[in-house]
Amino acid sequence: ARLKQCPNDTEALYYLGNVTALSAIFEGAVERRHGAALDDLYEAADMHRRVVKRDPAYVDAELTNGLYNYVVGSRSLPVKVLLSFMDYYGSKKRGIAAIERVAKEGKAARDQAGTLLVIIYMREKRYGEAAAFPGCMQAAFGFQEVLVAQRDVLGADGDGFRTYRGLRRTRAQLR
């Protein structure tokens, strides 16, 4: 309603984009409707692109754009070609860079960006970079041992995956 009354309300557009992004996450993760999730993520990213265009200092809005770019950019080449026919384009590199910017310069979305970066870095096997976010690793994986792994192993011996799997077993045993 607020956006209809004042179409240039940047804050209202930002929060509408957040709600749309949350819908995309629910559709993809819970309902397993990946096409609908991609549509909603595209719509949310478009809203947040408009926010950044209106106010370049609104760094938090780049989180959704970064996630969209990463999701589309991380698909295999044949899938990316198919997505391009539907006007979906993305770049993993641009996506990660945008999320990193939010993690460093963001306000309200800084912690979410850090947590998302940890998950992305782990997926990309960039364990040393994931270790740079100890608080976010705790939030993402929910157990204290991550701090030990962050300090002693992930950035030190290069065999972080073995340690990460061991920590996951430890977490399962603690439950």
Side-chain angles (χ1 to χ4, degrees):
R2 186 169 140 184
L3 200 54
K4 286 184 181 180
Q5 292 172 355
C6 185
N8 293 325
D9 188 337
T10 304
E11 187 175 349
L13 185 59
Y14 172 74
Y15 284 107
L16 181 60
N18 282 351
V19 170
T20 307
L22 186 60
S23 176
I25 292 167
F26 182 82
E27 288 167 340
V30 176
E31 296 178 341
R32 311 303 261 175
R33 295 183 323 133
H34 301 292
L38 188 59
D39 286 343
D40 280 351
L41 185 58
Y42 176 82
E43 185 179 345
D46 184 57
M47 288 179 204
H48 284 178
R49 273 190 291 275
R50 287 187 281 160
V51 167
V52 172
K53 188 175 182 180
R54 290 179 190 173
D55 182 2
Y58 212 130
V59 177
D60 289 341
E62 292 184 27
L63 180 60
T64 306
N65 296 326
L67 179 60
Y68 170 78
N69 266 298
Y70 179 79
V71 167
V72 175
S74 64
R75 304 297 102 198
S76 66
L77 183 61
V79 172
K80 283 197 270 191
V81 169
L82 287 175
L83 290 174
S84 72
F85 289 121
M86 296 179 280
D87 285 332
Y88 293 124
Y89 301 95
S91 161
K92 241 179 13 175
K93 187 176 179 179
R94 275 196 324 260
I96 291 172
I99 297 167
E100 287 172 338
R101 180 168 182 233
V102 176
K104 289 177 187 158
E105 301 171 22
K107 294 179 178 78
R110 176 181 276 177
D111 291 338
Q112 294 89 339
T115 302
L116 183 57
L117 271 178
V118 168
I119 293 166
I120 288 171
Y121 287 155
M122 297 297 274
R123 183 177 189 272
E124 299 291 323
K125 296 178 176 47
R126 294 165 59 176
Y127 304 113
E129 291 170 89
F133 294 91
C136 293
M137 286 186 74
Q138 249 186 314
F141 299 104
F143 56 104
Q144 187 67 30
E145 292 89 346
V146 169
L147 291 176
V148 175
Q150 174 268 331
R151 185 187 67 234
D152 297 336
V153 182
L154 291 178
D157 70 2
D159 195 12
F161 186 69
R162 177 180 49 79
T163 303
Y164 169 71
R165 293 186 75 182
L167 289 173
R168 288 193 49 98
R169 282 193 298 276
T170 301
R171 179 180 182 204
Q173 291 168 355
L174 292 175
R175 284 187 173 175

